């Protein structure tokens, strides 16, 4: 299939490369000409503008947006509504608020344009590992795009299959799902990121407690100067708390035991707050997720070792840079 990828940052560029590796044709556009040239060197067909990208596609034209949530995505969808035509498809693969998807889907439909939202998880590792995809949109359009999603997803790979699972649709096992109508994909991804906040906070606080055991204020016999890289490494092997996030903890600690390369000021992409907002709308208790979000807010006023480990994890999976200035 031929598809235009709009936005060639860390995620957009690697999504383009993975699609091309699978034999798809990519028309690449970004406001930064250097980003376009880099993708052209890998085999993409560069475009000078949205209009130029549209002219290089075949009907139905497919536009995949990998842009920051908010104004950049909003403005691009609006522009595409005047460029694209009936039957064309706009896909938002960024971290958009799901209620914006619901609205945009209706706006695109007024022009005969199909709108699909794709919650995309995989970070800077997605090129090799594949991307976990959570998709919202109408059935015929999502089915038509299946070759794209199948190419981006990890596939069954080496993960053992869940015993007693019965399902006629094996897409979940291959790393992608059609979650529901427009907005459902980003809603699932939003909660995914809310959970991510909680898991990361638990690891960060646990390692902070381990590090704090060497504190001189404690009785001497109860002090332990613990090797945090070794603890992270041993927990990766056979422990019930092993995970990819723990792998990233081990990687960060192995490179920098005291994590001096990180500021401890932890940003958030907005999805943690959106998840807490959804919990409040539904009257669902979300104690851990809410506390993890507030901990990130607190990190911008004072910093702990836990905050630095959060930064190390965010750098590990997403390339988010929170280093001392």
């Amino acid at each position: 299939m031929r598809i235009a990828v709009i936005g060639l940052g860390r995620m957009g560029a690697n999504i383009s490369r993975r699609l091309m590796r699978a034999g798809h044709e990519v028309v690449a556009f970004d406001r930064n000409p250097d980003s376009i040239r880099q993708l052209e060197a890998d085999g993409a067909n560069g475009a000078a503008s949205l209009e130029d990208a549209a002219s290089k596609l075949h009907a139905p034209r497919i536009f995949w947006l990998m842009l920051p949530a908010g104004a950049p995505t909003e403005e691009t969808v609006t522009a595409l509504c005047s460029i694209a035509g009936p039957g064309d498809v706009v896909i938002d693969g960024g971290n958009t608020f799901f209620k914006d998807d619901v609205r945009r889907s209706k706006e695109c439909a007024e022009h005969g344009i199909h709108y699909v939202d794709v919650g995309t998880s995989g970070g800077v590792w997605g090129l090799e590992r594949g991307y976990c995809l959570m998709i919202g949109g109408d059935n015929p359009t999502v089915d038509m795009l299946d070759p794209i999603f199948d190419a981006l997803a990890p596939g069954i790979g080496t993960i053992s299959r869940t015993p007693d699972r019965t399902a006629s649709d094996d897409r979940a096992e291959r790393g992608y799902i059609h979650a529901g109508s427009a907005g459902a994909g980003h809603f699932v991804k939003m909660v995914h990121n809310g959970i991510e906040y909680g898991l990361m906070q638990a690891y960060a606080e646990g390692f902070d407690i381990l590090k704090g055991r060497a504190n001189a204020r404690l009785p001497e016999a109860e002090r332990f100067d613990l090797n945090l890289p070794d603890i992270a490494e041993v927990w990766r092997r056979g422990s019930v708390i092993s995970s990819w996030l723990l792998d990233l903890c081990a990687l960060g600690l192995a490179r920098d035991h005291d994590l001096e390369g990180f500021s401890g000021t932890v940003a958030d992409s907005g999805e943690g707050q959106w998840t807490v907002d959804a919990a409040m709308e539904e009257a669902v208790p979300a104690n851990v997720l809410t506390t993890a979000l507030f901990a990130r807010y607190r990190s911008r006023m004072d910093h702990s070792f836990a905050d630095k480990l959060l930064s190390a994890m965010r750098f590990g999976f997403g390339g988010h840079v929170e280093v001392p200035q």
Side-chain angles (χ1 to χ4, degrees), residues 200 262-267 306-316 320-323:
M200 291 172 68
F262 296 94
S263 69
T265 298
V266 187
D307 299 327
K308 292 183 178 183
L309 189 55
L310 285 174
S311 289
M313 282 186 272
R314 294 186 82 243
F315 178 76
H320 306 289
V321 178
E322 294 159 345
V323 298

Side-chain angles (χ1 to χ4, degrees), residues 9 13 40 87 89-90 111 113-114 118 124 172 212 248 252 257 282 308:
E40 286 178 323
V89 182
V90 173
H111 299 271
I113 300 167
H114 302 288
V118 182
V124 296
L248 296 176
H257 183 283
E282 301 164 21
K308 292 183 178 183

Side-chain angles (χ1 to χ4, degrees), residues 200-213:
M200 291 172 68
Q201 189 66 30
Y203 284 123
E205 292 177 7
F207 277 96
D208 206 1
I209 294 169
L210 292 170
K211 182 177 177 62
R213 203 62 208 174

Side-chain angles (χ1 to χ4, degrees), residues 147-162:
I148 297 293
F149 301 138
D150 184 57
L152 291 173
I156 291 176
T158 59
I159 297 176
S160 60
R161 304 183 82 164
T162 302

Side-chain angles (χ1 to χ4, degrees), residues 47-204:
S49 64
L50 291 176
E51 291 82 1
D52 188 31
S55 72
K56 296 180 177 182
L57 297 175
H58 306 307
R61 295 175 294 183
I62 305 167
F63 304 87
W64 181 300
L65 278 57
M66 286 303 296
L67 300 167
T73 299
E74 195 76 47
E75 292 167 4
T76 304
V77 172
T78 299
L80 286 173
C81 281
S82 64
I83 296 170
D88 291 344
V89 182
V90 173
I91 304 170
D92 180 5
N95 287 328
T96 286
F97 184 41
F98 76 97
K99 293 185 180 181
D100 289 335
D101 290 311
V102 175
R103 172 179 52 78
R104 289 179 193 151
S105 176
K106 294 176 182 177
E107 293 170 354
C108 286
E110 293 174 359
H111 299 271
I113 300 167
H114 302 288
Y115 182 92
V116 175
D117 57 288
V118 182
T120 308
S121 181
V124 296
W125 301 75
L127 176 59
E128 303 299 333
R129 291 168 54 110
Y131 299 90
C132 173
L133 305 174
M134 297 140 271
I135 305 159
D138 64 86
N139 286 326
T141 304
V142 172
D143 289 345
M144 184 267 289
L145 296 169
D146 191 76
I148 297 293
F149 301 138
D150 184 57
L152 291 173
I156 291 176
T158 59
I159 297 176
S160 60
R161 304 183 82 164
T162 302
D164 303 322
R165 173 180 166 81
T166 57
S168 57
D169 186 345
D170 72 342
R171 287 179 294 182
E173 289 185 296
R174 290 188 279 132
Y176 64 109
I177 60 167
H178 182 194
S181 59
H186 276 145
F187 182 80
V188 175
K189 175 60 162 51
M190 177 191 77
V191 177
H192 162 285
N193 281 27
I195 293 170
E196 177 187 293
Y197 281 34
L199 292 173
M200 291 172 68
Q201 189 66 30
Y203 284 123

